[in-house]
């Protein structure tokens, strides 16, 4: 989070705005004021394909100047992947060599100076869903829409697998429970599964087998995630992984209990359709994964203009005061890693931590009269409300429109064509 | 502030923090007078870098007690701040919005592409992708790589002047086909700098005829045996100022108020190193351990050479260091046993919450282990990017080395007199001696080498200040920026042998007081620490035992005047590679012994 203290949001009944944008120019299929469901296609694009040069002169071992005569597909015509693109004169087909098109596309250029043929690759259409139930409050012609609606929103710290949706099911009873393989039955296929403090490797394997859409877990062991992804996750930029279930981690690596508040919010919405954005960008323009359960029948009108223009609500920014007395926080580094408590003291003077030096500190009251003195950098604000009138100290509006939404189908293809 | 009224405010816009520094006279010398910080505001919701700059300036003015740089709302002054009536001259460096990200395209990896990469790195760019004509992947994959790299500018080089290299045109067509657009909201076409075969310029221009024309500059490698990097470097700076900085939100306004062109932070860092080297004959090796990358610089009379090990950083990319080094090598630096799974989880937690700081001895050990390995890997990378360090004679033609294996690259420690450490994990080490040990363990300096820290990360500020007031920058560099840690000495050559073999004998004679002379021998496997307080000077005499080289030749005694610091004088008899691989248990005992020798306290909580 640029500027403010790192904050995770968990709130019900919040008005949220989602900025939905195509990765390339296309058509917007809805109008301002229109009501949309989470799975409604709101925009569609057929992005221009990459220009793919084929070195025909080299492939056929001919001079560049001979290339125009060797090309068998007219300029502007389509050629299928693997079909002949050019051929040498040969001797009635004997000793004739061919150059085949590496991609399906349209021949855009034939160069007699470099001996290359350029094909504009054909790309499948990209479709963008509304992600949340609500009202279209803005349209950027050709690019996308802004959708506003009320929802339960829970943010995580790391997500892999991109966007997915499914029926929300709580597979464990308590936020500190372990999600084991026995708890994952075939009825969870296609569902968004709410877990507890960790998920076992076997449970993840089972979830994959039966086609679970997404798993929400407090913690996960690195070896299990590595196994799931088929590679080590070395840089915290995610969302492009081609894996199911998608995984949203709300606490961190290891065994970390879910925030009971967030856990309860989601559990209350069990049985409903949940949208999961399992994407993370920790560097500039921080983006955290999120679970959204839209309110099926929002009674409110469109959001006000401040929200629509993308100004952060208090909840997202962690309030103006950021880290302040009384705030709920999660400690995110040893020795109290994962513990949740309340800020009771913000010492003006840095605290001398044995072994690690003198650092600005915060005192956190933990359940059971325990108090922890930890570096300020090692706490994360937990912001949110439980919905309903006057139920929380923060405003009940949030806007996470800063993150540009990318639909699963718009994910950058492995080979960009 | 008296007499000389010169005042400078230098702001460094980092990716997360904007740091402002006030420089002016205190007595006879220029000193750092005040500092302030504010969050960088390039990203949403502010999306204007000047918001952060102005709040850092406001805080600086509050501390100084008088106005420094007037910045009336909504008025865009056409003159630099000084002329507008402010008291201080404003200067800036920036690595915010990702700094200057470049992709380099060339013919052959080892030749023109390497020259192009050196020019880009020297200009302070972050080189994201290298695309060579002779890469094994398909044009399709290469276009995908070009697009994925999302550069701010592309450098195309290849071919010697007058050479017959139509392949360069194929590369130009590749770049044109990729149709690269700015990663900022403007979506402007990405500028292409052409620094290849000059005779092909017209043909290259034709390739781009329906696009933004390329920027032409003198060939980076006009002849096979000769590099000419400076024109390309200058052109990249221009592109940074005119294309990149003007597109990042708020930069145009900042640029207008600066008295000199803002520099990319790494270029400013390099400028400070040039200042440090000054007229000295020795070279300086500097390392900057950052969140995303580790930069290594070697600076000497011949100029500054910079390498960037992308993804060898301590936060976002900490996992890469572990994978590149191997988890085993990270684990070997831990004096307490930590289960593999626990180590891996701790590293990943740092990755997803990069702003956390170690609060337990074991987390601190893990962080410092990663620093050691990042330094080791980054130095290897640096050596690999410096052609003159590859054991080649300057007279040897480049063609002579094609087709036979080059000697293993190594750094010539005889030329390096000083190692400077910079970056959070080194600067924030609870004990300075820990920073010294990380530098020594990671870089393994040989011969006699001084160690110092740029503790407050002032090098970028001073580097840009040097472009307008070299003497002021030099004075602040030595008074406020460079903190001496001590000295390390180790044999250049060690043919191996058993632990316990005598390597060399030493005499340390304090210069500023009588008595206190220390003598002894250093044996193989030992780390001997001789205290020498900060500010104290001493004469260090080393005599090799047997056919060893301590820097002056095999068997030749060496003498040096050394300056003390928290590390004191460390005599390092350990293996250059620290005996890797080695069984973990005996290693751990050695590790504890070495740390005890230098006084690192390692009481570990359970």
């Amino acid at each position: 989070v640029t500027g403010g203290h790192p904050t995770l949001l968990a709130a019900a009944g919040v008005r949220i705005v989602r900025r939905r944008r195509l990765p390339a120019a296309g058509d917007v299929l809805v109008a301002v004021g229109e009501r949309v469901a989470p799975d409604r296609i709101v925009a569609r694009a057929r992005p221009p394909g990459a220009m793919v040069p084929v070195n025909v002169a080299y492939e056929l071992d001919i001079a560049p100047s001979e290339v125009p005569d060797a090309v068998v597909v007219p300029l502007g015509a389509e050629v299928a992947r693997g079909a002949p693109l050019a051929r040498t004169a040969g001797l009635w087909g004997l000793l004739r060599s061919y150059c085949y098109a590496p991609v399906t596309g349209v021949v855009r250029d034939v160069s007699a100076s470099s001996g290359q043929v350029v094909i504009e690759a054909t790309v499948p259409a990209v479709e963008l869903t509304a992600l949340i139930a609500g009202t279209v409050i803005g349209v950027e012609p050709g690019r996308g829409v802004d959708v506003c609606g009320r929802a339960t929103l829970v943010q995580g710290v790391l997500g892999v697998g991109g966007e997915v949706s499914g029926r929300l099911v709580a597979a464990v009873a308590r936020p500190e429970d372990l999600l084991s393989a026995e708890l994952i039955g075939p009825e969870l296929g296609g569902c968004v599964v709410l877990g507890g403090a960790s998920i076992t490797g076997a449970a993840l394997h089972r979830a994959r087998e039966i086609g679970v859409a997404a798993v929400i877990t407090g913690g996960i062991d690195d070896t299990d995630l590595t196994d799931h992804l088929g590679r080590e996750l070395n840089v915290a930029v995610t969302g492009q992984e081609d894996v199911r279930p998608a995984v949203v981690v709300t606490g961190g690596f290891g065994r970390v209990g879910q925030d009971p508040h967030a856990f309860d919010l989601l559990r209350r919405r069990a049985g409903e359709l949940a949208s999961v954005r399992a994407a993370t960008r920790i560097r500039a323009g921080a983006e955290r994964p999120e679970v959204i359960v839209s309110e099926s029948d929002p009674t409110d009108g469109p959001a006000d203009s401040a929200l629509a223009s993308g100004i952060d609500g208090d909840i997202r920014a962690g309030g103006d005061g950021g880290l302040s007395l009384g705030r709920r926080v999660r400690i995110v580094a040893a020795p109290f890693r994962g513990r949740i408590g309340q800020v009771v003291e913000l010492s003006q003077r840095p605290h001398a931590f044995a072994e690690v030096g003198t650092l600005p500190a915060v005192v956190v009251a933990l359940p059971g009269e325990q108090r922890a003195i930890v570096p300020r950098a090692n706490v994360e604000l937990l912001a949110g409300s439980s919905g309903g009138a006057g139920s929380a100290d923060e405003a009940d509006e949030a806007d996470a429109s800063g993150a540009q939404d990318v639909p699963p189908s718009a994910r950058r293809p492995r080979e960009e064509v | 502030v008296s007499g000389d009224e010169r005042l400078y405010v230098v702001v460094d816009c980092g990716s997360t923090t904007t740091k402002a520094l006030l420089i002016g006279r205190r007595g006879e010398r220029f000193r750092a007078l005040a500092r302030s910080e504010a969050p960088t505001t390039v990203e949403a919701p502010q999306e204007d870098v000047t918001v952060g700059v102005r709040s850092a300036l406001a805080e600086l003015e509050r501390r100084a007690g008088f106005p420094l740089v007037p910045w009336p709302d909504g008025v865009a002054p056409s003159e630099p701040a000084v002329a507008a009536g402010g008291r201080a001259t404003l200067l800036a460096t920036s690595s915010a919005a990702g700094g200057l990200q470049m992709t380099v395209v060339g013919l052959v990896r080892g030749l023109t592409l390497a020259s192009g990469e050196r020019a880009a790195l020297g200009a302070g760019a972050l080189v994201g992708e290298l695309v060579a004509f002779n890469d094994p992947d398909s044009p399709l994959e290469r276009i995908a790589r070009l697009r994925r790299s999302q550069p701010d500018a592309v450098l195309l080089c290849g071919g010697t002047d007058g050479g017959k290299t139509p392949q360069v045109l194929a590369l130009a067509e590749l770049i044109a086909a990729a149709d690269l657009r700015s990663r900022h909201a403007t979506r402007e076409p990405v500028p292409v700098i052409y620094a290849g075969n000059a005779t092909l310029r017209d043909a290259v221009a034709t390739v781009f005829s329906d696009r933004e024309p390329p920027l032409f500059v003198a060939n980076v490698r006009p002849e096979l045996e000769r590099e000419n990097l400076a024109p390309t470097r200058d052109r990249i700076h221009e592109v940074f100022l005119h294309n990149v900085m003007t597109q990042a939100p708020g930069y145009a306004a900042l640029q207008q108020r600066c008295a000199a062109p803002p520099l990319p932070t790494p270029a400013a860092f390099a400028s400070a190193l040039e200042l440090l080297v000054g007229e000295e004959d020795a070279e300086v090796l500097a390392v900057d351990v950052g969140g995303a990358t580790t930069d290594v610089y070697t600076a000497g009379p011949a100029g500054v050479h910079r390498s960037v090990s992308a993804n060898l950083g301590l936060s976002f990319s900490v996992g890469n260091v572990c994978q590149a080094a191997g988890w085993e090598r990270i684990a070997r630096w831990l004096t307490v046993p930590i289960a593999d799974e626990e180590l891996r989880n701790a590293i990943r937690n740092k990755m997803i919450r990069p702003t956390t700081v170690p609060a337990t001895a074991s987390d601190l050990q893990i962080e410092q282990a990663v620093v050691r390995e990042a330094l080791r890997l980054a130095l290897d990378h640096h050596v690999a990017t410096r052609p003159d360090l590859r054991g080649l004679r300057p007279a040897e033609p480049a063609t002579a080395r094609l087709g036979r294996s080059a000697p293993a690259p190594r750094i010539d420690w005889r030329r390096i007199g000083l190692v400077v450490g910079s970056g959070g994990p080194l600067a924030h080490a609870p004990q300075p001696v820990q920073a010294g040990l990380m530098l020594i363990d990671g870089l393994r300096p040989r011969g006699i080498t001084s160690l110092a820290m740029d503790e407050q990360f002032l090098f970028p500020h001073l580097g840009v200040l040097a472009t307008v007031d070299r003497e002021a920058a030099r004075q602040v560099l030595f008074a406020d920026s460079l903190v001496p840690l001590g000295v390390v000495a180790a044999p250049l050559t060690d043919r191996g042998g058993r632990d316990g073999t005598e390597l060399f004998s030493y005499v340390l004679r304090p210069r500023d007081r009588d008595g206190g002379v220390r003598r002894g021998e250093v044996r193989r496997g030992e780390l001997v620490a001789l205290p020498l307080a900060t500010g104290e000077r001493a004469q260090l005499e080393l005599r090799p035992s047997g056919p060893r080289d301590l820097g002056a030749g095999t068997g030749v005694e060496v003498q040096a005047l050394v300056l003390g610091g928290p590390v004191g004088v460390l005599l390092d008899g350990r293996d250059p590679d620290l005996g890797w691989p080695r069984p973990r248990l005996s290693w751990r005992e050695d590790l504890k012994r070495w740390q005890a020798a230098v006084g690192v306290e390692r009481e570990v909580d359970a």
Side-chain angles (χ1 to χ4, degrees), chain B residues 63-80:
Chain B
R63 290 181 192 183
F66 50 86
L68 295 167
V69 182
W71 202 311
D73 274 318
V75 180
S78 52
E79 297 295 315

Side-chain angles (χ1 to χ4, degrees), chain A residues 51 116 222-223 234 253, chain B residues 143 173 323 341 348-349 353:
Chain A
M51 295 295 184
Q116 298 206 85
D222 176 58
T223 42
N234 285 330
F253 285 89
Chain B
I143 288 178
E173 283 175 11
Q323 191 172 33
E341 188 64 62
R348 301 296 183 214
N349 279 320
R353 292 196 176 92

Side-chain angles (χ1 to χ4, degrees), chain A residues 168-172 179 192-196 214-216 258 262-263 266-267:
Chain A
L168 182 63
V169 178
V172 298
L179 183 54
V192 172
V193 174
L194 177 62
V215 169
I216 306 156
Q258 302 246 32
F263 184 84
L266 288 177
R267 224 163 72 105

